[in-house]
Amino acid sequence: MLFLIVFVRIAGRGTTNDTNNYDKNKTYDFSISSISKNNYQFSHSVTIDDSFSSYVGKRYGDSDLFVMNNNLGSYSYYRNGVDYFSNMSGVWVKSNSPYNYDKFFDIENIMGLIDKSMLIYKTDYESGKVVYSFNVSTTTIHSYLEEIDLDLADDVNEIVVTADSNDNVYEVEFKLDSYCKSLNICLNKMNIVLSYDQFGKVLEIVSPLNN
């Protein structure tokens, strides 16, 4: 498979696409340590064609407190370990996980898929932000996440990783059009965006179950 690497400077934006000194297979400098410490605020979203779900909240250790918004409405959730609770008219009730396609939310799965992907380009911004784009086949995603071996003549999917000037990752985007079509869960597109900020600044999450 032949990849064309293009070097560009965009006037007014001060950005460069630069793959010099980068092995397209596996080389990257970013770190996920800030995410792995499980102390941050987050804003995640899942878009499948015209269907949209967002999850906005904070994480502290093994607890989350967040609001899910989708086409049907807005819902409050609390996670304690593997248990989820939803707020039903002021009463917290044990519920199923509201996350759709949560395998893509797991940081170990994210890094596992990146390790099986090919780095296509790296973009350095004058602000210090760095964006990496990886291609990964639908066959690879099925094999890694679901342990299903398929032989598909499929288009590639894209993983876009954004890091700050200190190489700390703060956003991961999955562009999964080929993957979702293989499962017949979309007609055209599927995007998952995982955004993180305020690392280490969440002081605590007080359980709402005792209120």
Side-chain angles (χ1 to χ4, degrees), residues 44-85:
H44 303 334
S45 66
V46 178
T47 304
I48 301 176
D49 292 330
D50 295 328
S51 176
F52 177 82
S53 298
S54 68
Y55 310 87
V56 179
K58 57 185 178 180
R59 170 167 292 185
Y60 184 86
D62 62 354
S63 295
D64 293 347
L65 190 63
F66 61 97
V67 175
M68 180 185 76
N69 291 284
N70 60 24
N71 300 60
L72 300 176
S74 180
Y75 311 90
S76 296
Y77 283 89
Y78 169 66
R79 179 184 69 88
N80 182 22
V82 298
D83 296 323
Y84 287 84
F85 302 85

Side-chain angles (χ1 to χ4, degrees), residues 132-177:
Y132 302 79
S133 176
F134 299 85
N135 278 356
V136 58
S137 71
T138 294
T139 300
T140 298
I141 296 175
H142 282 301
S143 176
Y144 184 79
L145 293 183
E146 296 139 19
E147 298 184 350
I148 298 175
D149 291 325
L150 300 174
D151 186 13
L152 300 174
D154 57 309
D155 294 329
V156 294
N157 305 270
E158 185 179 5
I159 305 173
V160 180
V161 177
T162 304
D164 63 19
S165 58
N166 295 315
D167 299 321
N168 294 311
V169 172
Y170 64 87
E171 184 174 282
V172 179
E173 179 179 5
F174 292 94
K175 300 179 181 180
L176 300 169
D177 299 355

Side-chain angles (χ1 to χ4, degrees), residues 77-78 82-86 88 91-96 209:
Y77 283 89
Y78 169 66
V82 298
D83 296 323
Y84 287 84
F85 302 85
S86 60
M88 306 292 290
V91 179
W92 289 91
V93 179
K94 192 171 184 179
S95 66
N96 295 323
L209 304 181

